[in-house]
Amino acid sequence: MLKADPGFKKTLSPVEGAGKLSYCYQCSACVAECPAAHNFNDFNPREIVLASLIGVADYLTAKDSVIWQCTTCYKCYERCPQGTHPVEVINALKNISCAAGNGPEEVTSSRDNVLANGSLISPSEAIEKRRQELGLDKAPVAPAGELKKILE
Amino acid sequence: MAQNQEYTLFLGCMIPLRHPQIELASRKSLGALGITLKDAEGFTCCPEPWNFKGAGLESWLTVALRNLAVGEKKGRDMLVLCNGCYATLTEAAHLAACNGEAVKGAMDKLKSLKLSYSGKSSVRHVASVLQDIGVDGISGSVRRPLKGLKVAVHHGCHLLRPSEVMGFDDPFEPSVLEGLVESLGAEVVRYEGYTDCCGNATRDTEASLRIGSEKIAAMKKAGADCIAVVCPACFEQFDLGQVEMKRRLKVDHRLPAFHYCQLLAIAQGEDPESLGLDRHRIDVKPALVKIGK
């Protein structure tokens, strides 16, 4: 049987506006235009907010959780009449999932790549050649060392 | 017409390192409008607001505030060509103004680099800068109007929402970007779901392609000859994405996609041949033919 954890909602980051889920009255305004809900039967922002509120959210922060299907379109943020910000609740769940080592590999490796190189995309000879053909200067080099200094 | 505006150019990652033809068209077209773009050293990835923000809010915020602090030191506002950069840097600046817990942690980390961000300089999306210049200012720079070209405008989510933070236009019935396209002499076609997401950021590849494909189908149904975007992630979904849609969904849309600045450059009289448009994965020729190029 699932055990409720009413304290769970307090672990959602307040800075993102994720801590306002107590105001949710389960109206489903967030669901109607949600592209992830249209494509995945088990993705429902209203249910995600409810599970987080009651504190039965382990399945949402587990590996390969459905929360990663959120497109971050922010329509739920705009449609919510209660200022609950479901997308930020989902972002907070993603943070909890990654901190527990359950984040998708492509997500954590993309973050690690930025921290190591300062850029999401590694420079290459091919792209420099294209830039040159277009008459553009070399691509700016990101000061990756500075990120290492402050985040490691 | 606003002139002699100076901005620090924040290029981000996707435009210089994957779609430099968008950078080229932006430099040329904005220059023609009297906007001076100052290049600057010291920036990193913004970082992008879907995966990185999901991986960890505080490190996302720290990297974003570092970029804002570097930009502020240059003494002018920053201009971005990408909705992802716009969303991250705008939200970070907004959170800094609210001074929450995560901001304090991030600001502390910046101290070791002798950096801080006070909120004096802000981040401007190119669409918003063009809005300031105005329809008349833009039309004034047009030498070859895009007459006969029907354009489906895709705003991209992060330009519009959350509207209380992004502040660009109405989150569900935006029209500013459409006005900017019309100022080039083109015809805008409204289509069903025009404010919907491109689908790029969803994890499941097929679902992502389905979302993008439905949107392109709606654009075509409305009679569009091409798509206009203001974000390289949306661009990639609608350009390279169509190749994948054909392969995996067996749908062959062939609807050319452009960054707004590419259309602006063409309308200003730049030779499309010189803009590197041959690097687009969906042939732009059918759209250029409509305007006699």
Side-chain angles (χ1 to χ4, degrees):
Chain A
M1 207 180 87
L2 284 174
K3 199 165 175 281
D5 173 12
F8 177 76
K9 62 177 180 285
K10 296 202 176 96
T11 66
L12 301 172
S13 168
V15 72
E16 305 188 20
K20 298 179 182 169
L21 67 176
S22 302
Y23 299 118
C24 173
Y25 51 44
Q26 294 285 296
C27 72
S28 281
C30 54
V31 185
E33 288 173 78
C34 172
H38 281 250
N39 277 277
F40 298 92
N41 288 333
D42 52 350
F43 188 101
N44 182 314
R46 179 187 59 77
E47 283 175 12
I48 292 171
V49 171
L50 181 63
S52 307
L53 186 59
I54 300 172
V56 288
D58 283 356
Y59 76 104
L60 293 171
T61 55
K63 248 195 165 27
D64 295 322
S65 156
V66 75
I67 56 172
W68 296 97
Q69 305 303 354
C70 170
T71 66
T72 70
C73 75
Y74 280 78
K75 285 207 174 182
C76 58
Y77 186 116
E78 298 285 349
R79 288 295 189 204
C80 178
Q82 288 291 88
T84 300
H85 307 158
V87 60
E88 303 296 18
V89 172
I90 291 166
N91 272 325
L93 291 168
K94 286 177 174 176
N95 280 192
I96 293 168
S97 177
C98 284
N102 293 336
E105 199 275 331
E106 72 269 22
V107 170
T108 47
S109 67
S110 156
R111 185 248 339 249
D112 294 345
N113 199 30
V114 171
L115 294 182
N117 305 313
S119 173
L120 196 60
I121 299 155
S122 306
S124 67
E125 270 179 44
I127 199 75
E128 285 305 342
K129 194 165 159 258
R130 264 177 66 194
R131 292 183 62 85
Q132 207 180 359
E133 282 165 10
L134 292 171
L136 293 167
D137 291 340
K138 281 194 151 198
V141 178
E146 292 211 4
L147 298 188
K148 279 183 198 150
K149 202 166 152 188
I150 51 176
L151 287 166
E152 277 180 5
Chain B
M1 176 173 162
Q3 278 184 339
N4 300 321
Q5 292 189 52
E6 266 193 16
Y7 294 95
T8 299
L9 179 62
F10 184 92
L11 273 173
C13 308
M14 289 184 77
I15 287 181
L17 294 169
R18 218 178 253 165
H19 308 293
Q21 73 278 8
I22 295 177
E23 178 183 335
L24 177 70
S26 304
R27 288 181 186 276
K28 286 191 175 196
S29 61
L30 298 179
L33 283 170
I35 298 170
T36 305
L37 298 176
K38 295 276 187 189
D39 288 291
E41 291 190 350
F43 293 128
T44 66
C45 175
C46 58
E48 51 80 19
W50 39 94
N51 285 337
F52 200 118
K53 185 179 169 188
L57 181 82
E58 192 166 315
S59 51
W60 170 79
L61 193 54
T62 307
V63 178
L65 287 174
R66 190 195 150 280
N67 281 322
L68 286 167
V70 170
E72 191 165 84
K73 264 176 100 171
K74 316 286 180 198
R76 56 182 98 78
D77 288 347
M78 291 148 81
L79 183 143
V80 297
L81 304 165
C82 164
N83 288 1
C85 298
Y86 181 64
T88 284
L89 298 174
T90 305
E91 191 187 340
H94 170 77
L95 293 175
C98 302
N99 204 22
E101 273 307 306
V103 169
K104 283 178 198 142
M107 291 289 199
D108 276 348
K109 290 194 171 83
L110 293 187
K111 279 183 193 153
S112 64
L113 299 173
K114 297 193 170 59
L115 283 172
S116 67
Y117 175 64
S118 73
K120 254 185 251 149
S121 75
S122 59
V123 178
R124 302 289 311 275
H125 193 289
V126 63
S128 163
V129 168
L130 291 168
Q131 183 189 10
D132 285 356
I133 287 177
V135 166
D136 290 345
I138 294 169
S139 330
S141 78
V142 169
R143 301 280 167 271
R144 294 182 201 166
L146 309 182
K147 220 171 160 40
L149 187 69
K150 292 181 179 171
V151 181
V153 173
H154 170 82
H155 297 76
C157 302
H158 295 256
L159 175 65
L160 299 173
R161 298 179 288 268
S163 55
E164 63 188 0
V165 181
M166 299 308 147
F168 176 68
D169 202 347
D170 186 282
F172 293 111
E173 285 181 58
S175 59
V176 171
L177 197 47
E178 291 177 334
L180 296 179
V181 169
E182 282 168 351
S183 70
L184 306 178
E187 182 189 335
V188 167
V189 290
R190 270 268 173 106
Y191 55 98
E192 202 185 333
Y194 81 112
T195 65
D196 287 355
C197 182
C198 72
N200 194 343
T202 206
R203 188 183 179 204
D204 182 88
T205 309
E206 290 223 349
S208 165
L209 293 172
R210 273 201 306 275
I211 295 168
S213 181
E214 277 165 23
K215 187 142 190 180
I216 296 173
M219 293 167 173
K220 288 185 76 167
K221 199 175 156 198
D225 299 315
C226 69
I227 311 168
V229 301
V230 283
C231 170
C234 302
F235 171 78
E236 215 164 278
Q237 174 77 335
F238 289 133
D239 186 53
L240 176 64
Q242 286 189 53
V243 177
E244 289 297 300
M245 287 166 203
K246 186 179 174 191
R247 196 168 69 86
R248 298 173 76 140
L249 308 180
K250 313 292 178 217
V251 193
D252 193 8
H253 290 299
R254 294 192 205 195
L255 189 63
F258 296 92
H259 190 284
Y260 177 83
C261 288
Q262 294 176 307
L263 292 177
L264 176 59
I266 294 168
Q268 287 170 339
E270 285 291 339
D271 179 5
E273 294 277 326
S274 72
L275 291 172
L277 300 172
D278 56 329
R279 301 312 292 236
H280 290 208
R281 302 297 294 270
I282 299 302
D283 188 3
V284 299
K285 204 78 194 161
L288 297 180
V289 164
K290 296 267 174 182
I291 45 170
K293 298 275 161 68

